[in-house]
Amino acid sequence: MKNVMPTYGRIDLSFERGEGPWLFTKDKKKYLDFATGIAVNTLGHSNEELINTLISQSKKLWHTSNLYNIKPQGELAELICKNSFGESVFFCNSGAEALEGTIKLCRKYHFNNGDENKTEILVCSSAFHGRTLGTLAAGDNEKHREGFGVNTNGFTRVPFGDINEIKKFINKNTAAILVEPIQGEGGINRSPKGFLKKLRILCSENKVLLALDEVQTGIGRTGKLFAHQWADIIPDVMAIAKGLGGGFPIGAVVAKNKAALGMSPGTHGSTFGGNFLASSVAKSVISQVIERDFLDNVTKIGNKLFQEIEVLSQKYPSILKGARGKGLMIGIICNVSNIDLCKNLREKGLLSVPAGNNVLRFLPPLNIKLEHADKCIEIMKKTLDKMMVEQV
Ligand SMILES: *Cc1c(COP(=O)(O)O)cnc(C)c1O
């Protein structure tokens, strides 16, 4: 890949084919994919319904323009709204774009209401929202910003999960607070129980919009279609992407009509956003995720994995320190380097993703079976035994 810009620290490994939770290299070596392109392959690889949807749509029409009606886009929006707080949806192609749209919507809402000075967005410690200039400003990673001349005006950092501290930062210029229900890149950080509910009340009392980044937590990852549904709250707007297209790039801004009032013709746009191919595939992803028992399976398998990892943590305390997260968004707290553990697991055929705070993430396809969870634990045991020997 000598002509590819070296922005990634790539692992020297590539795959040729995927089937369910399995990835195969050219020489037929097999890996259990608990990374899923970072929470993207919601239904694993080569899902038959997704393949059929993509093939049949590709024979009809790929792309027109958002200058015209796009039937599957309308249907996808309807499906999302039927299964969430949403009333209107803007489509784009990635998580960062979904966040850009979310931030724009929040500011425009207040502008539209005559509150032109309400532009300040409260953003959280350890947050990650993407790599565009706007989302870099919102995220809490100084290293990601270094050298890029990022203007962080309009964003105020507040401590994740601390409602009393957050309260102190709200003033007459506060437009919105942007939160991940569970922080992904930051290390699978969960907020204290009741935090989102208190945040909802705080926002409503102060005419501040509640904006959620569900790019990683959304589309069933935590065992509900959207993670905030566990907290039984209604946000004003949320950004989704990653798992939405099951591997086809698509993102979306999902909003209450009232919050989206400023987003009138000409205010925002995307050339590719929600085109025929992307919308058709995403429709099929969501249709499968909301099928009976699908989300219960996420919770069931997730619980099983959490239990087993707990047992392993007791047995190998010098390597593991338990796990946190929800559903199939699992963060393993490491007592060795998370990157080291990731590498050792990979060498034994299990793919995972490092996150902040020395946490290692398991983000398997949501339709895995118990046997795949068992296989994961089996590989973990072998790996941990080997690492124990090396530690001595
Ligand atoms: C991955 C991610 C993003 C950025 O998504 P891209 O598609 O890479 O732009 C934003 N927010 C969260 C929570 C994410 O996990």
Side-chain angles (χ1 to χ4, degrees), residues 127 136-137 139-150 152 157:
L136 279 177
D140 189 23
N141 193 324
E142 191 54 53
K143 233 171 125 189
H144 287 175
R145 282 195 284 269
E146 192 180 67
F148 291 115
V150 177
T152 55
R157 189 77 42 205

Side-chain angles (χ1 to χ4, degrees), residues 66 99 223 330 372:
N66 281 305
L99 266 308
I330 300 171
H372 303 120

Side-chain angles (χ1 to χ4, degrees), residues 194-319:
F195 171 67
L196 283 180
K197 203 138 207 174
K198 286 179 202 153
L199 197 57
R200 174 67 276 181
I201 294 166
L202 183 67
C203 286
S204 299
E205 283 173 355
N206 291 281
K207 288 189 185 165
V208 167
L209 294 182
L210 176 57
L212 298 182
D213 179 347
E214 290 238 26
V215 169
Q216 195 161 150
T217 53
I219 323 298
R221 180 54 53 189
T222 67
K224 288 213 187 265
L225 188 57
F226 301 107
H228 71 266
Q229 292 170 337
W230 287 110
D232 198 22
I233 57 149
I234 296 175
D236 296 292
V237 55
M238 80 175 161
I240 56 177
K242 288 198 166 88
L244 178 58
F248 203 102
I250 180 168
V253 182
V254 181
K256 277 282 182 205
N257 274 339
K258 188 168 169 267
L261 223 54
M263 305 304 276
S264 53
T267 53
H268 196 37
S270 163
T271 297
F272 294 120
N275 83 2
F276 283 84
L277 292 178
S279 296
S280 300
V281 174
K283 238 176 70 189
S284 177
V285 171
I286 293 194
S287 302
Q288 292 185 62
V289 170
I290 61 176
E291 267 172 27
R292 239 188 85 194
D293 298 337
F294 186 98
L295 290 169
D296 289 342
N297 184 60
V298 171
T299 298
K300 190 177 101 190
I301 308 237
N303 285 345
K304 159 102 176 163
L305 281 166
F306 276 110
Q307 267 171 25
E308 297 278 356
I309 294 165
E310 203 48 58
V311 172
L312 291 180
S313 303
Q314 306 285 332
K315 193 167 169 209
Y316 304 92
S318 61
I319 304 174

Side-chain angles (χ1 to χ4, degrees), residues 50-68:
L50 293 191
I51 291 173
N52 291 338
T53 303
L54 187 62
I55 288 177
S56 80
Q57 184 57 53
S58 74
K59 287 179 179 169
K60 285 191 261 176
L61 188 56
W62 291 20
H63 178 90
T64 55
S65 154
N66 281 305
L67 290 171
Y68 314 110

Side-chain angles (χ1 to χ4, degrees), residues 94-97 99 128-130 180 185 213 215-216 241-242:
S94 67
E97 278 176 90
L99 266 308
F128 178 81
H129 299 298
E180 297 160 79
E185 303 304 308
D213 179 347
V215 169
Q216 195 161 150
K242 288 198 166 88

